């Protein structure tokens, strides 16, 4: 920990200098040897920071869009979410890690971020492709005072926070596909997976793990064959290369605003309105594919519980819960 702290002190000193700083100067300021400084510089280079060493003169930081826990933390403007931040170079799934972290007693608002996931998961154990340095894969651990029935609203609220963040950083707002996907130019750029542990009798949630996977920097050819026609990224959708650290920090801020600053879920009117505005298929014919039956229906609206209201072909109206359906749109599987 002390080593890490010193490493980032070296980094911040170089950042402030906006030019060359000699090894001797750094050593003196931090009260360590030149060799110790050199070691920290090497460690920072290893993390991806472009630090040049100019012989007999010192070190200079070439600003680069590095993705580390430190870069998220220094951008973070939150009170709770992400104040306990665990950054992993590689992990099977940040949601899996979060569940273990919950069992180990990590606090409310803990965030687990990974540079890459080897077994990133979607719903129903589907795979979520999570290559390194292309996107943001993170899980927010919550210990909320809410019941199981409100958990669906957490997913919807998260979709709004994730979409707001894209809009703030690149000026284009993604569309939303109920319940948990964001789209740009008819390609999926983001998926959300909310998992929880709850008491069977009371329905009280003991913790929730809200996982968000956002594609930022991929080009079409970067996706594996099977996703090439259906997946996209913020870069493909807006032409902007958003740095993962910028996205992660802004997302956590937006999430906090909805979840902590505004009395969730009593503030549902605000985010449900935005959610509704983002939905790109209201009024359209969709295919509802449930566990027991599949049918066509017209998508009408979202109700106050976040359920999708559809009009079936016999005219009856059904309120769909999340998780029990998937939807296909016309010939395109958006
Ligand atoms: C989701 O499931 O989209 C939820 C994804 C949640 C991922 C986050 S990342 C951090 C946290 N840790 C995890 O392990 N998971 C969460 P679903 O709606 O079931 O969609 C899965 C489908 O999306 C797959 O079957 C593919 O068709 C498609 N897909 C897979 N990887 C994708 C990607 N990177 N971008 C766009 N689409 C993808």
């Amino acid at each position: 920990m002390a080593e890490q702290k010193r490493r980032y002190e070296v980094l911040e000193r170089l950042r402030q200098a906006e030019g060359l700083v000699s090894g001797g100067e750094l050593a003196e300021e931090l009260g360590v040897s030149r060799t110790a400084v050199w070691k920290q510089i090497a460690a920072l280079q290893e993390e991806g920071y472009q630090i040049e060493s100019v012989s007999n003169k010192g070190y200079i930081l070439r600003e680069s869009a590095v993705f580390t826990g430190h870069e998220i933390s220094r951008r973070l403007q939150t009170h709770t979410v992400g104040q306990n931040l665990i950054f992993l170079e590689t992990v099977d799934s940040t949601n899996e890690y979060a569940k273990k972290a919950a069992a180990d007693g990590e606090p409310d608002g803990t965030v687990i971020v990974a540079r890459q996931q080897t077994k990133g998961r979607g719903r129903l154990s589907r795979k979520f492709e999570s290559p390194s340095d292309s996107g943001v894969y993170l899980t927010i651990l919550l210990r909320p005072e809410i019941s199981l029935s409100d958990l669906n609203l957490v997913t919807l609220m998260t979709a709004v926070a994730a979409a707001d963040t894209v809009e703030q950083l690149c000026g284009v707002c993604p569309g939303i596909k109920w319940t948990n996907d964001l789209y740009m130019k008819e390609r999926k750029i983001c998926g959300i997976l909310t998992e929880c542990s709850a008491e069977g009798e009371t329905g009280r949630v003991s913790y929730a793990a809200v996982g968000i996977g956002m594609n930022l920097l991929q080009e079409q050819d970067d996706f594996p064959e099977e996703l090439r026609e259906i997946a996209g990224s913020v870069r493909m959708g807006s032409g902007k290369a958003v740095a993962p650290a910028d996205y992660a920090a802004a997302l956590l801020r937006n999430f906090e605003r909805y979840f902590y600053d505004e009395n969730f879920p009593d503030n549902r009117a605000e985010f449900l309105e935005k959610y509704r505005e983002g939905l790109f298929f209201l009024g359209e014919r969709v295919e509802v594919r449930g566990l027991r039956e599949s049918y066509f229906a017209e998508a009408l609206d979202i109700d106050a519980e976040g359920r999708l209201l559809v009009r079936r072909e016999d005219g009856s109206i059904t309120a769909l819960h999340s998780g029990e359906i998937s939807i296909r749109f016309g010939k395109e599987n958006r």
Side-chain angles (χ1 to χ4, degrees), residues 93-95 117 121-123 126-129 188 191 215:
S93 149
T94 53
N95 268 35
Q117 297 183 113
R121 282 190 299 110
R123 292 170 303 167
R126 289 188 286 236
K127 189 173 177 203
F128 191 82
E129 207 56 49
K188 173 165 164 175
N215 302 330

Side-chain angles (χ1 to χ4, degrees), residues 3 6-7 10 23 26-27 30-44 59:
E3 279 288 289
R6 185 170 302 149
R7 191 185 320 154
V10 170
L26 281 170
L30 300 172
V32 296
S33 69
R34 276 163 174 257
T35 319
V37 168
W38 175 80
K39 269 195 195 159
Q40 300 305 343
I41 298 272
L44 288 166
Y59 302 101

Side-chain angles (χ1 to χ4, degrees), residues 150-210:
D150 285 334
L151 213 56
N152 187 30
L153 289 171
V154 175
T155 301
L156 269 58
M157 184 226 89
T158 306
V160 172
D164 279 359
T165 310
V166 172
E167 188 174 18
Q168 284 158 12
L169 295 176
C170 72
V172 185
C173 192
I176 301 176
K177 180 180 151 197
W178 185 81
T179 56
N180 67 332
D181 292 339
L182 299 187
Y183 278 69
M184 280 177 117
K185 295 197 173 156
E186 308 204 333
R187 288 166 175 275
K188 173 165 164 175
I189 59 156
C190 171
I192 297 162
L193 179 68
T194 306
E195 296 178 290
C196 75
S197 161
E199 259 176 33
E201 286 75 20
T202 60
R204 209 193 125 101
V205 172
S206 57
Y207 74 80
V210 185

Side-chain angles (χ1 to χ4, degrees), residues 296-307:
F296 285 97
E298 183 192 350
L300 296 176
D301 202 358
I302 296 288
D303 71 8
E305 312 310 318
R307 296 176 303 183

